[in-house]
Amino acid sequence: MRTLSLLLLCGFIGLFAGPARGSPSATYKVVVHPSNPVTELSRARLSQLFFKKSTQWDSGATALPVDLNDSSPVRAAFCDEVLKRSLPAVRAFWQQRIFSGRDVPPPELSSENEVLAFVRANPGAVGYVPASTPTPGLKVLTILD
């Protein structure tokens, strides 16, 4: 009986454990060019940029989102947490857009180093990399809920 009570208590505590609102993900960080005036972004706004529902930054500059490739676990986490869809659902979204001739997805790069190089080379770029990746010369955004 005591073991059952302890398990129930641990389960109850587990329901409320987790990152605080507005805290960065432990899986990835979002980076932009250092000239971008943005320092924080809501998940909803970031989702709009990656789904190309919004194609400009508030400054008027063209937004250039860039993805990691499909095999990246960081991409799967980004899709789940920011886009609020699974990676297969995101793929299906883009297949529909491509098939209907409406749009193409953000470029997919094969490594975090390629994502960092892309963002460094393009002032309007926004990308994400594993949280442990060093990002010298780039700005890391605070992501808000």
Side-chain angles (χ1 to χ4, degrees):
M1 184 67 179
R2 189 165 192 196
T3 304
L4 178 61
S5 296
L6 184 57
L7 285 173
L8 288 172
L9 178 61
C10 288
F12 182 75
I13 291 170
L15 287 173
F16 296 100
R21 290 188 67 146
S23 68
S25 169
T27 309
Y28 60 86
K29 55 187 167 186
V30 176
V31 293
V32 295
H33 193 274
S35 68
N36 191 324
V38 172
T39 58
E40 61 185 30
L41 209 54
S42 72
R43 290 182 197 275
R45 178 77 169 113
L46 191 56
S47 178
Q48 289 175 342
L49 293 172
F50 273 84
F51 278 129
K52 295 188 176 181
K53 293 179 180 180
S54 177
T55 58
Q56 292 186 324
W57 293 101
D58 292 341
S59 66
T62 300
L64 301 170
V66 61
D67 274 317
L68 284 168
N69 67 29
D70 281 357
S71 65
S72 169
V74 174
R75 179 163 182 194
F78 183 83
C79 288
D80 288 342
E81 294 176 25
V82 173
L83 305 181
K84 301 295 186 196
R85 297 186 191 188
S86 68
L87 182 53
V90 171
R91 277 194 229 121
F93 169 85
W94 283 114
Q95 286 302 316
Q96 274 190 320
R97 303 288 289 190
I98 292 166
F99 184 73
S100 66
R102 288 189 266 169
D103 213 345
V104 296
E108 287 183 18
L109 301 179
S110 59
S111 73
E112 55 264 16
N113 288 334
E114 288 182 28
V115 169
L116 297 175
F118 182 90
V119 175
R120 281 190 193 100
N122 296 285
V126 57
Y128 53 89
V129 294
S132 60
T133 303
T135 55
L138 294 175
K139 187 187 297 183
V140 177
L141 298 183
T142 300
I143 305 305
L144 308 170
D145 283 335

